[in-house]
Amino acid sequence: MVAITFALVSAVLYGVSDFLSGVQSRRRHFLVVAAVAQSFSATCLTAIAVAQGSPLTQQAVLWGLVATVGHVFGTLMLMRGLASGAMHVAGPLSAVCAAGLPVLLGVALGERPAPPALVGIALALPAVWAVAAGEGGGTSGADTSAAPRDDRAGVRDGLLAGVGFAVYFVALAHAGAGAGSWPVAVCQLGSLVAMWGIVLQQRAHRRPDGGVRAALPAWSVGLTGAFGALTYFLASRAGGGRLTIVPVVASLYPAFTVLLAMAVLGERASRAQVVGLLGCAAAVSLIAAG
């Protein structure tokens, strides 16, 4: 139950971070927002890791770097999918793959969830799809209205993004104990270097809407994302690194993004999203019961 609670808190924090990222990216270039947010996230988690006094082990660095590859690759593929105009495909497909692939791996490694949890897992995947498919771009905040729609590119990039995020989830789940929060801190530091490298390559910081100083309010995106990563790591540790439960619950974050958009921005949920939200709630209850 502790693992599920941490995973649910992680989903809430990821959902809040996603919402704030979308709001910030409506006003500034999304790459700069992502890089500034990553700066705050990496600083926060590194400070926590240092304060814990745990040793920086070789295992922590290894799994942190693997998580970095998954995090950066997944983010870039998702951005490319959203930019192709296939937001309705790339977004939900990445979320479902990020939840489903760790489950398949966990089952292959011998994990056997209880029957209620299995029903919850089976319910969570279409529920996440239903919620994310009508989300309207909260993930990136990029303006894709003028982009020609390419559904095949959306499927490709959504699958690749899902694989990247699944690698991120699996790597942090297997980081193990004994190194404090260094695995997640290493991941955030690696992602920081990668994100700023992309910003400089794309010269995004030189665009009229891309100034770094103007994007400093993205600190809120970084901090909520940092604690989302940390609570996911704690959930994985509490759950013994099992892959069939914690990644699924953490992947329900689009539900909280949509709820915030409804509460703060007055956006109306589609019927499919309402059904998806109810499905997410039922999925968490069933997984907890299992």
Side-chain angles (χ1 to χ4, degrees):
M1 192 64 182
V2 174
I4 295 174
T5 301
F6 273 129
L8 189 58
V9 172
S10 175
V12 172
L13 289 167
Y14 276 139
V16 173
S17 181
D18 201 32
F19 170 77
L20 294 173
S21 176
V23 171
Q24 291 293 326
S25 297
R26 291 179 180 181
R27 306 166 187 167
R28 303 162 187 94
H29 194 279
F30 69 92
L31 281 177
V32 178
V33 169
V36 170
Q38 192 64 51
S39 300
F40 283 97
S41 180
T43 301
C44 175
L45 287 172
T46 302
I48 291 174
V50 171
Q52 288 177 330
S54 300
L56 177 58
T57 64
Q58 184 177 358
Q59 184 183 24
V61 173
L62 173 62
W63 285 115
L65 291 178
V66 173
T68 298
V69 173
H71 182 252
V72 173
F73 180 77
T75 300
L76 292 179
M77 291 300 99
L78 181 57
M79 286 179 176
R80 191 171 74 172
L82 297 177
S84 72
M87 186 181 303
H88 68 298
V89 176
L93 191 56
S94 68
V96 170
C97 286
L101 291 178
V103 171
L104 294 177
L105 179 59
V107 170
L109 293 175
E111 294 182 23
R112 297 294 183 267
L118 282 174
V119 175
I121 292 167
L123 180 60
L125 300 183
V128 169
W129 177 283
V131 172
E135 193 171 323
T139 300
S140 73
D143 183 7
T144 60
S145 58
R149 204 168 92 178
D150 188 344
D151 286 353
R152 287 183 298 178
V155 171
R156 176 199 65 203
D157 293 335
L159 286 172
L160 291 173
V163 170
F165 293 138
V167 169
Y168 168 77
F169 281 141
V170 171
L172 289 186
H174 279 77
S181 57
W182 274 116
V184 70
V186 169
C187 172
Q188 296 299 317
L189 287 168
S191 299
L192 172 66
V193 173
M195 288 304 303
W196 277 111
I198 294 168
V199 167
L200 294 175
Q201 182 185 32
Q202 298 293 324
R203 301 179 184 272
H205 62 300
R206 296 185 179 181
R207 300 182 186 184
D209 61 347
V212 173
R213 181 176 297 179
L216 287 179
W219 65 266
S220 57
V221 179
L223 290 188
T224 50
F227 285 105
L230 182 59
T231 48
Y232 170 79
F233 182 61
L234 294 174
S236 297
R237 186 174 287 179
R242 297 182 64 191
L243 299 173
T244 52
I245 299 297
V246 172
V248 175
V249 176
S251 294
L252 298 178
Y253 67 87
F256 298 101
T257 304
V258 170
L259 288 173
L260 271 174
M262 293 167 58
V264 178
L265 302 179
E267 294 185 5
R268 297 181 61 183
S270 65
R271 291 182 181 178
Q273 283 181 308
V274 172
V275 172
L277 290 170
L278 293 174
C280 288
V284 172
S285 300
L286 287 166
I287 291 172

